[in-house]
Amino acid sequence: MTDVDRQIARAGELLDRTRAERRSRTARRRQGMSLARRLALVGWADAIIVLAAIAIGWFVPLGMGGALLVGLLLILVTAFLLFATLTPPVRVEQLAQVPLKALPAKTEQWLDTQRKLLPAPAQTLVDGIGVRLETLSPQLAGLDESEPAAIEVRKLIGEQLPELLKGYAKVPPPLRGVARNGKSPDAQLADALRLIDSEIGEMSAQIAQGDLDSLETRGRFLEIKYRDEV
């Protein structure tokens, strides 16, 4: 194996680890909250049920049947709070109203719901964009919503990225791999996602460097030329 082959292999392993870590984070996020918070909710809910049963028992004897119903209710509520997805899914229409500092996380959460609808190459690109968004999220905490830089970030990840995937979803599945004007919708989607990934990376780098003037004045509001073709 040559040095180039080893470097390629190491890069592939790193990418696989990154994807695995992201999938793990995604799974935890889909659960909606941490185990500790769920256990706390279970404790409060079960305590309320028991207290309510005791209060009712002062006036109406529950008997064996009532005790069994209370026990069944405790089991059902506990199971629901431990295993149910308690965080509602993000709808694309909500992204326009999400505060800027929360926008990357909400966009990533929405992307997770769209991932399975995309072809394999696009799924890989979406994974990369998700990593970019995780990096960008804390950087936006110091940006004012009214700053041109903030407006450009919102336009890219809150409007243009969702519009791209919505446009792709409108293409009938049998036609997505069929070339038109030299490229298939699948290929056009991949090209657009690569462009968005690169744009988010540049935005993140400029914000990290404090180069907001460049970010504001460069005039690179991403035009997704593939939107009309896909």
Side-chain angles (χ1 to χ4, degrees), residues 89-195:
V90 176
R91 291 181 289 106
V92 68
E93 297 81 7
Q94 296 175 310
L95 295 179
Q97 286 77 43
V98 172
L100 182 66
K101 63 181 180 180
L103 182 59
K106 290 297 183 181
T107 301
E108 185 186 2
Q109 187 177 344
W110 178 77
L111 282 177
D112 288 335
T113 66
Q114 305 300 304
R115 187 181 185 279
K116 62 183 179 181
L117 306 176
L118 304 176
Q123 290 182 11
T124 300
L125 291 167
V126 165
D127 287 343
I129 289 174
V131 174
R132 296 275 198 193
L133 291 174
E134 289 178 0
T135 301
L136 182 64
S137 187
Q139 294 180 307
L140 299 182
L143 281 185
D144 187 274
E145 290 270 359
S146 61
E147 291 185 33
I151 294 173
E152 185 168 352
V153 170
R154 179 177 290 280
K155 184 177 181 66
L156 177 63
I157 65 176
E159 298 177 22
Q160 293 170 330
L161 176 56
E163 284 297 324
L164 170 66
L165 297 188
K166 285 169 60 180
Y168 176 80
K170 294 177 182 177
V171 180
L175 300 180
R176 292 175 182 176
V178 179
R180 185 180 64 174
N181 299 326
K183 283 189 177 181
S184 67
D186 284 349
Q188 294 165 2
L189 174 67
D191 286 346
L193 289 174
R194 289 189 191 95
L195 186 58

Side-chain angles (χ1 to χ4, degrees), residues 14 32 38 49 78 101 103 116 146 218:
L14 178 60
R38 285 178 180 269
I49 292 172
T78 298
K101 63 181 180 180
L103 182 59
K116 62 183 179 181
S146 61
R218 62 182 175 165

